[in-house]
Amino acid sequence: MNFKKVISKDAIAKMPREVFSGKIVVVDNESSLEQALDFLSGLSQLGFDTETRPSFSKKTHYRMSLMQIASDDTCFLIRLNRFKQVPGALEMFLKNEAIKKIGISLRDDFNGLHNLTNIVPANFVDLQRYVQQFGIEDMSLQKIYAILFGKKISKRERLSNWEIHTLTEAQQRYAALDAWACLHIYQHLERMKDGAS
């Protein structure tokens, strides 16, 4: 398994753009959350990401706005800013050791989560550590994805307002793609590892 260790921004700019083509479900109340967790709890591996409204002042800090959890073909966008506190069912899900949750730069996600709840998330895989065993040195999701699949993930929506009343289609697609891409990377490398053994 020989991958490029690093990739340039110029190389990524020339690549075709990746698009999440699965189903996107916005979760903004207890009922839709219950339905989402019922579905997700039946799966063994999921992609994970979060978004927080960007602050352009050192004095202003926002709490985590969105949590994305993706299966192979569906991504749930859980609008945490619509809940007074992290629902107990979601806390249980994040602590569920039977479900592997794959993200990237999880330290940032966990720090944001810690501002909302005292739980200790369980069975998370951080791609920044995981890809090192394959010789990949670039640590950003965009670069890892480009190295493996030859496609670029647009980061255009990253600094948009994640607390807006209704998420735009572009925001939804961006958020879903980030979570799904984490799962896609992990599954791809696991299959390659199994094939090499």
Side-chain angles (χ1 to χ4, degrees):
M1 292 180 288
N2 293 317
F3 299 110
K4 290 181 180 178
K5 292 184 177 182
V6 297
I7 192 168
S8 70
K9 289 184 178 180
D10 288 342
I12 295 174
K14 298 173 184 176
M15 293 178 174
R17 185 175 169 181
E18 183 62 282
V19 177
F20 176 70
S21 58
K23 181 180 179 182
I24 298 175
V25 181
V26 177
V27 175
D28 57 8
N29 57 59
E30 295 281 355
S31 177
S32 58
L33 178 64
E34 183 179 343
Q35 292 176 11
L37 295 178
D38 281 347
F39 173 83
L40 293 167
S41 295
L43 303 173
S44 60
Q45 296 178 353
L46 296 165
F48 174 87
D49 194 28
T50 67
E51 303 295 341
T52 299
R53 179 179 176 178
S55 171
F56 302 103
S57 166
K58 292 182 179 180
K59 296 180 180 179
T60 304
H61 300 280
Y62 295 103
R63 287 157 49 119
M64 185 182 288
S65 309
L66 186 71
M67 181 180 293
Q68 307 100 273
I69 305 174
S71 69
D72 289 323
D73 58 9
T74 305
C75 185
F76 294 90
L77 308 182
I78 302 172
R79 303 204 66 186
L80 295 173
N81 59 306
R82 296 292 181 87
F83 296 88
K84 291 182 179 180
Q85 59 187 36
V86 179
L90 181 57
E91 290 182 329
M92 293 296 292
F93 172 82
L94 295 172
K95 294 192 296 183
N96 189 334
E97 296 185 357
I99 303 173
K100 187 171 290 183
K101 297 157 284 272
I102 299 98
I104 193 162
S105 189
L106 288 173
R107 182 177 179 179
D108 295 336
D109 295 312
F110 290 169
N111 283 341
L113 194 59
H114 185 67
N115 291 327
L116 301 176
T117 175
N118 292 323
I119 67 158
V120 178
N123 200 1
F124 276 77
V125 175
D126 194 325
L127 289 176
Q128 288 188 329
R129 293 185 178 181
Y130 177 77
V131 301
Q132 291 177 14
Q133 65 185 288
F134 301 93
I136 298 172
E137 295 179 3
D138 270 325
M139 294 289 101
S140 76
L141 180 65
Q142 185 184 52
K143 289 188 173 183
I144 294 169
Y145 200 89
I147 287 170
L148 293 178
F149 302 110
K151 291 186 176 182
K152 65 181 174 186
I153 293 177
S154 172
K155 308 305 286 184
R156 187 176 298 172
E157 297 297 321
R158 184 172 66 91
L159 296 179
S160 61
N161 181 5
W162 294 103
E163 294 185 5
I164 193 171
H165 180 70
T166 302
L167 294 175
T168 66
E169 183 176 348
Q171 283 180 309
Q172 292 183 35
R173 292 287 169 194
Y174 166 86
L177 177 58
D178 269 13
W180 175 83
C182 289
L183 177 64
H184 191 40
I185 288 168
Y186 179 79
Q187 292 177 333
H188 177 73
L189 291 175
E190 282 290 292
R191 284 193 296 268
M192 294 197 74
K193 191 165 65 173
D194 289 344
S197 60

